[in-house]
Amino acid sequence: MRKTLTIGFFFFTAVKGFGQITNQRILSEARIEYNVELMALEGPDKGKVPTALKGATQTVWIKGKSVRVDFNSSLRKQTLFYNGTEKSGVVWKESGDEQYLTPLDAVQWLQYFNAVDTSAPVLTEEVQVISGLICKKALLPRNDTSTLTLFYTSQYIPFTKGYDPAFSAINGLPVQYSYITDGYQVTFTLKIVEMIPIAASMFEEPKSGFKLLEYKNPRKNGE
């Protein structure tokens, strides 16, 4: 049976003091979609928002220990394949007619997300209702001294974490998160959760038609 959450649909109500959330669900097989919004900062740090990234979306597919993350924009497509058992993965990028594939072992997978410090997040008691879900706020330090602001719900728990190391220590599903980069703010907001059967073929890595690129850690020499 398909179970779908859409923006504006409250499938539970807030109780006194925003008490415990009931009917917690483990996302062992699901499709999760986010809208991606970019907003220029004000003042001297204001940057130009890349037109090609406007209207971008991100979709997460989960099937047991396998996770696929698709980021789509008018300019570029990127897919991450994550193996939750080995904690390794593959980055597949498409730009125009070119395709590139980069395998990552468990250590390299963490290095690939080097912009985020995977140390313990700062959990707060602040509560907001976002996309119809009661969410708590967390602050995640980034290696560039900035902070990623996260609102997450405990109503849903991804069966496999680690596909984005920033959220590995969070006991819940990211509903909205934002960070600053190049003079503008990037915000991901949950649009839909579907607890539906996902075909195993969704997690099959490309076998041909791409250029194989070796991963190089940008921080190897202490940058």
Side-chain angles (χ1 to χ4, degrees):
M1 176 182 295
R2 171 176 291 195
K3 299 178 182 179
T4 303
L5 162 71
T6 54
I7 291 179
F9 176 65
F10 284 69
F11 60 92
F12 63 87
T13 57
V15 295
K16 183 179 179 180
F18 292 103
Q20 289 286 341
I21 295 174
T22 59
N23 300 321
Q24 187 179 77
R25 294 180 173 89
I26 303 298
L27 297 176
S28 58
E29 198 163 11
R31 172 182 175 271
I32 308 161
E33 185 175 337
Y34 295 86
N35 287 329
V36 184
E37 180 183 9
L38 291 86
M39 181 180 299
L41 300 178
E42 297 298 329
D45 294 329
K46 183 175 182 178
K48 183 178 181 180
V49 175
T51 303
L53 293 181
K54 293 182 178 180
T57 62
Q58 178 168 282
T59 305
V60 180
W61 311 80
I62 299 175
K63 187 179 183 70
K65 288 287 189 177
S66 298
V67 180
R68 170 176 174 155
V69 182
D70 292 323
F71 182 90
N72 291 307
S73 70
S74 60
L75 178 65
R76 178 173 59 86
K77 295 182 179 180
Q78 174 177 284
T79 296
L80 304 177
F81 294 94
Y82 180 69
N83 183 324
T85 301
E86 302 294 334
K87 301 187 185 304
S88 60
V90 167
V91 179
W92 178 31
K93 295 183 179 181
E94 296 181 73
S95 182
D97 296 329
E98 299 292 332
Q99 297 185 28
Y100 306 91
L101 195 73
T102 304
L104 304 173
D105 61 27
V107 173
Q108 292 170 334
W109 187 265
L110 295 177
Q111 292 173 347
Y112 184 78
F113 290 87
N114 68 81
V116 177
D117 186 342
T118 56
S119 59
V122 178
L123 305 180
T124 76
E125 294 303 315
E126 182 177 338
V127 175
Q128 289 191 26
V129 177
I130 302 173
S131 298
L133 294 166
I134 296 178
C135 303
K136 280 195 172 183
K137 182 180 179 179
L139 302 174
L140 290 78
R142 289 162 54 90
N143 285 333
D144 61 3
T145 71
S146 66
T147 299
L148 186 153
T149 302
L150 167 69
F151 287 91
Y152 66 98
T153 180
S154 296
Q155 177 72 19
Y156 290 111
I157 306 292
F159 180 79
T160 296
K161 298 182 180 181
Y163 60 89
D164 189 330
F167 307 131
S168 294
I170 296 296
N171 186 35
L173 176 69
V175 174
Q176 185 176 84
Y177 54 99
S178 61
Y179 58 90
I180 304 298
T181 181
D182 298 328
Y184 58 90
Q185 177 175 288
V186 184
T187 301
F188 292 74
T189 303
L190 181 67
K191 178 182 178 183
I192 188 170
V193 174
E194 292 182 308
M195 300 177 68
I196 57 175
I198 308 297
S201 59
M202 286 293 299
F203 306 93
E204 294 178 358
E205 300 168 12
K207 299 297 190 296
S208 61
F210 56 81
K211 295 179 180 179
L212 189 63
L213 296 181
E214 180 182 355
Y215 174 71
K216 296 181 179 180
N217 180 12
R219 301 178 64 196
K220 184 176 180 180
N221 297 317
E223 294 94 327

